[in-house]
Amino acid sequence: MRVSVQISRGLESLFGTRDENIRVLENGLNIQTRLLDDSLEIEGEEAAVLRAESILEDYVALVKQGQSFSNGDLNSYLRILMADSGASLRGLVESGRARNFGKKLVTPKTINQRVYLDAIERHDLVFGIGPAGTGKTYLAVAMGISALVNKKVARIILTRPAVEAGERLGFLPGTLQEKVDPYLRPLYDALYDMLEADKVERHLERGVIEVAPIAFMRGRTLNDSFIILDEAQNSTSEQMKMVLTRQGFNSKMVVTGDVTQIDLPAGKKSGLLEAIEVLRNVEGISFVYFDERDVVRHNLVQRIVKAYERYDEATGRNRQLSLRWSEPERSPGNGNAAGTP
């Protein structure tokens, strides 16, 4: 089957750097395209051609309405569309507009990121598990900011274990808050990326946003809050149970972690590994798993993650981490979302 889609504007973003966007479309749908004077000709199986035509018509209409695609956004959208036959380009773009993330428009760049954002909207407790660079923490903070800006919660609580990552940092001078702040810096980075600096400072001063180590959570009940436990693989079993039971009324909690980067002392079991095992079939809890395909940092990071995974498999290192691949079983009504479509 062969059709032509009229395209007069936005060709740069449609084709992408070195035609990478068109290649995603061609490879994903097994079609061939040819650029004519003011149109793109598509050839292939009927169903694939109709799918491509629908995507390109959405693209043309969005560009005419003033939508601009930059920084690899269109490439990310196309990858999601290739993985999810039920998604549309217009739907992906408009879902990103619908969420108010402060000063940034945040959209999922992979299918698992989309599953993750949807899971956070639908469930009160979500576990985001996977390697570095997959957007687990960043997207969780974005959803927290969205909930705060839209007055769905009254405050955001960001916490993580104060565990040294294989280093001995020694004595740190200053107040208690100044001692633990270096461990919490990635959370501050995400906040300043989402909100204006003066607004972040005001929220921190007033306690609307709280960034604190796990120890500060003990004995509290967190109502009307969006709670994020980051680097959860470095929490102990006791800490994990303590944090999970802090959740109060009208609150959401997101737990993020990478079970391949556990920095606990020998003999200490990761609270995240135990939580996956204990809570996998609890109704109302969603587990979303990320892998190297979800890494949205430099392309080299994706290859590094994959290389380490191959090395671990070949050497048998970190046998306990096999639990990472034991995704929760889908069962009617259990609220679990598998991260791999």
Side-chain angles (χ1 to χ4, degrees):
M1 181 179 181
R2 181 182 298 176
V3 301
S4 293
V5 178
Q6 296 296 313
I7 299 172
S8 57
R9 296 175 56 195
L11 281 177
E12 297 82 1
S13 62
L14 171 60
F15 280 84
T17 305
R18 298 177 182 175
D19 296 343
E20 60 183 2
N21 295 340
I22 287 297
R23 284 204 301 272
V24 170
L25 202 61
E26 290 180 334
N27 295 336
L29 296 175
N30 193 25
I31 59 172
Q32 292 181 335
T33 65
R34 187 162 63 102
L35 181 63
L36 304 178
D37 289 340
D38 61 350
S39 64
L40 191 68
E41 187 177 82
I42 310 166
E43 186 173 0
E45 295 291 332
E46 182 177 2
V49 170
L50 292 176
R51 173 68 168 153
E53 183 182 20
S54 173
I55 292 170
L56 291 172
E57 286 177 347
D58 274 354
Y59 170 83
V60 171
L62 287 165
V63 170
K64 286 181 178 178
Q65 293 167 14
Q67 174 70 36
S68 61
F69 297 91
S70 58
N71 299 324
D73 285 347
L74 183 59
N75 191 268
S76 299
Y77 287 137
L78 290 174
R79 291 182 185 279
I80 293 176
L81 293 171
M82 296 305 97
D84 185 354
S85 60
S88 70
L89 180 58
R90 179 174 290 278
L92 292 177
V93 172
E94 290 180 350
S95 68
R97 291 174 181 166
R99 297 182 177 119
N100 185 348
F101 296 111
K103 68 180 182 180
K104 293 203 73 172
L105 177 65
V106 178
T107 56
K109 296 185 180 299
T110 70
I111 188 67
N112 285 340
Q113 287 191 354
R114 187 183 180 208
V115 170
Y116 186 50
L117 293 181
D118 290 343
I120 293 172
E121 285 189 339
R122 295 195 311 268
H123 298 88
D124 288 338
L125 176 56
V126 175
F127 285 79
I129 302 164
T134 52
K136 306 181 301 294
T137 302
Y138 191 85
L139 291 175
V141 173
M143 291 298 284
I145 294 294
S146 178
L148 182 67
V149 170
N150 292 301
K151 302 188 185 305
K152 294 180 180 179
V153 298
R155 57 181 172 167
I156 300 173
I157 310 291
L158 306 171
T159 185
R160 66 180 345 205
V163 175
E164 297 169 348
E167 303 173 76
R168 294 299 177 194
L169 302 181
F171 173 77
L172 293 172
T175 64
L176 181 59
Q177 189 65 45
E178 289 170 339
K179 292 177 191 295
V180 299
D181 271 356
Y183 297 100
L184 306 171
R185 180 50 52 188
L187 298 174
Y188 285 111
D189 291 342
L191 283 174
Y192 283 106
D193 203 31
M194 302 283 173
L195 295 173
E196 301 294 342
D198 59 339
K199 186 171 290 187
V200 174
E201 298 297 338
R202 287 199 304 271
H203 284 334
L204 289 169
E205 289 174 5
R206 298 171 183 173
V208 174
I209 297 177
E210 180 180 347
V211 185
I214 282 182
F216 286 30
M217 300 297 108
R218 190 172 299 279
R220 303 173 65 183
T221 301
L222 304 173
N223 296 317
D224 298 309
S225 302
F226 195 104
I227 309 147
I228 300 171
L229 169 57
D230 190 37
E231 295 289 324
Q233 77 276 4
N234 288 327
S235 65
T236 64
S237 298
E238 297 79 11
Q239 287 175 329
M240 176 62 76
K241 181 180 178 182
M242 181 269 290
V243 172
L244 292 178
T245 54
R246 298 307 93 199
Q247 188 170 0
F249 295 109
N250 189 40
S251 290
K252 282 185 179 287
M253 182 179 292
V254 181
V255 178
T256 69
D258 176 2
V259 296
T260 68
Q261 297 193 41
I262 297 173
D263 300 310
L264 290 170
K268 280 282 189 181
K269 184 175 182 179
S270 166
L272 179 58
L273 286 174
E274 184 177 84
I276 295 171
E277 187 175 359
V278 172
L279 303 175
R280 63 173 58 217
N281 292 316
V282 175
E283 183 178 357
I285 300 176
S286 176
F287 291 83
V288 180
Y289 290 81
F290 299 87
D291 56 36
E292 79 282 350
R293 293 169 297 180
D294 300 300
V295 174
V296 291
R297 294 179 182 170
H298 192 288
N299 289 338
L300 189 58
V301 176
Q302 190 176 64
R303 296 197 290 273
I304 290 170
V305 170
K306 188 62 177 177
Y308 270 97
E309 288 182 355
R310 287 197 300 266
Y311 177 78
D312 288 346
E313 291 172 3
T315 61
R317 192 181 72 171
N318 295 336
R319 290 291 185 186
Q320 64 168 331
L321 304 182
S322 62
L323 188 57
R324 175 215 188 291
W325 301 108
S326 302
E327 299 185 6
E329 298 177 359
R330 288 181 182 267
S331 59
N334 75 347
N336 287 341
T340 302

